[in-house]
Amino acid sequence: MVLPNDRLQTALTHVGMKNGRMLVKGRTSKEDGTPVLELEAEVDQPPTAYVFTGQGMQQIDMGMDLYQESPAARDVWDCANKHTRTAYGFDLFDIVRSNPKQLSVHFNGKAGRYIRSHYMMISDHALGKEMVDTEFPTHSVLSDLTTQSTSYTFQLAEGLLNLTQFTQCAQIAMTVATMADMRSKGLVQTGAMFAGHSFGEVCALAAMANVFSIEGMLDVAFYRGLIMQSAVSRDEQGRSEFGMVSVNPTRINKAFDEKMLLLAVNSICAACSGLLRVINYNVRGA
């Protein structure tokens, strides 16, 4: 019983999360500690949007701390690694942890032939001089791979974690694993908005919309990466004559704006025979 003029104390404790809502427990007590009221509540939080980055965030051991700490994240990584080993013959953990400069995928035995068949199916579409019945001729992305090949070697001087098809597989696995960990802790709001930049759009669909299984998303990432990687000619070490960089003119000087950047780009083009272009405005006007 609570009587007039009784002094009461209320203590609230944040005990967890559920679907992005804060779980709160509370107790109201008299001065002598006698409890008079206990409560549990779910408190809505401000709306949250989840935004996923594009390619370029890769680094050695990405996602491995969470792999050790979170059962939910570990399950995603283990599933992803099992798929890349079975379907494409590479260990995703080795790519992420070691960033090897070279990797040979062998096609020995039944398992090897199954892996080779996956690679043989990866093709792009090339337009000829004329379109006939809107059919496009197809060309294998790995032009030097045949049904008789016993192995195929990937290599890059900067390490295979920076080779697009491996970069994007690692990024998909880490993104889905991170969100799986957050969901297991009740941190992800139901119906939250989400978006992604460049390849981050694919990551957003994989991690938030559950459009495909983790295996399906890895297939998309690997196929997409191989096609992108083969779009230009490369030397024996996997290098091309092209590169891409993100530029923020204001980091040079606040007065160094878009017009001055374009002036610099045009001046460089005029002084050399190479190709230099601004191809996209990520945060134009920001």
Side-chain angles (χ1 to χ4, degrees):
M1 182 181 296
V2 177
L3 299 176
N5 297 322
D6 280 351
R7 294 180 63 86
L8 303 176
Q9 294 178 335
T10 298
L12 300 176
T13 305
H14 177 199
V15 296
M17 299 292 294
K18 181 180 179 181
N19 296 330
R21 295 190 297 272
M22 182 184 293
L23 299 181
V24 175
K25 286 188 176 182
R27 169 180 286 191
T28 298
S29 306
K30 292 184 177 182
E31 285 187 299
D32 62 2
T34 303
V36 298
L37 175 70
E38 291 185 346
L39 66 89
E40 293 183 1
E42 295 181 12
V43 184
D44 279 336
Q45 300 300 294
T48 300
Y50 299 90
V51 183
F52 298 84
T53 184
Q55 186 171 334
M57 46 76 77
Q58 68 272 12
Q59 59 181 343
I60 294 176
D61 282 335
M62 56 189 285
M64 291 297 97
D65 286 346
L66 194 60
Y67 177 83
Q68 297 296 331
E69 299 167 1
S70 168
R74 190 179 307 121
D75 287 346
V76 173
W77 275 105
D78 287 344
C79 183
N81 190 57
K82 179 180 179 180
H83 183 65
T84 59
R85 288 176 63 90
T86 302
Y88 304 109
F90 71 88
D91 190 307
L92 186 58
F93 287 130
D94 183 51
I95 299 294
V96 170
R97 290 168 174 161
S98 304
N99 190 25
K101 296 183 178 180
Q102 182 173 298
L103 167 69
S104 292
V105 178
H106 297 279
F107 306 134
N108 302 322
K110 183 178 179 180
R113 291 193 296 273
Y114 176 75
I115 292 170
R116 183 175 59 199
S117 70
H118 274 245
Y119 283 100
M120 295 296 296
M121 287 189 296
I122 304 174
S123 62
D124 60 1
H125 292 282
L127 282 174
K129 292 182 179 180
E130 296 181 356
M131 294 172 56
V132 180
D133 296 330
T134 69
E135 291 292 333
F136 302 138
T138 60
H139 301 274
S140 174
V141 169
L142 304 176
S143 57
D144 50 346
L145 180 69
T146 71
T147 56
Q148 303 304 314
S149 298
T150 58
S151 66
Y152 190 87
T153 299
F154 297 97
Q155 56 184 355
L156 187 68
E158 295 80 12
L160 297 183
L161 185 57
N162 298 297
L163 200 59
T164 305
Q165 59 267 34
F166 298 111
T167 303
Q168 296 187 356
C169 282
Q171 189 171 341
I172 280 285
M174 191 187 80
T175 301
V176 175
T178 300
M179 295 308 298
D181 172 67
M182 292 178 65
R183 280 197 178 92
S184 72
K185 297 173 180 175
L187 299 176
V188 181
Q189 290 182 350
T190 301
M193 295 180 290
F194 57 91
H197 171 246
S198 188
F199 187 67
E201 295 180 27
V202 179
C203 293
L205 291 173
M208 294 296 295
N210 296 320
V211 174
F212 299 108
S213 64
I214 181 63
E215 294 89 350
M217 295 309 299
L218 285 167
D219 289 339
V220 170
F222 193 70
Y223 281 38
R224 180 181 188 271
L226 270 179
I227 291 172
M228 290 175 63
Q229 193 69 21
S230 63
V232 295
S233 59
R234 299 180 180 275
D235 62 17
E236 294 181 352
Q237 294 183 337
R239 299 172 300 188
S240 76
E241 296 180 349
F242 301 92
M244 183 169 62
V245 64
S246 295
V247 178
N248 183 350
T250 60
R251 295 187 65 178
I252 298 175
N253 186 286
K254 289 185 177 180
F256 194 89
D257 57 12
E258 179 186 324
K259 291 183 179 180
M260 294 188 69
L261 174 62
L262 291 174
L263 179 62
V265 168
N266 293 333
S267 297
I268 294 172
C269 286
C272 65
S273 58
L275 175 67
L276 183 62
R277 292 287 188 273
V278 175
I279 60 170
N280 193 39
Y281 293 92
N282 294 330
V283 287
R284 192 173 194 177

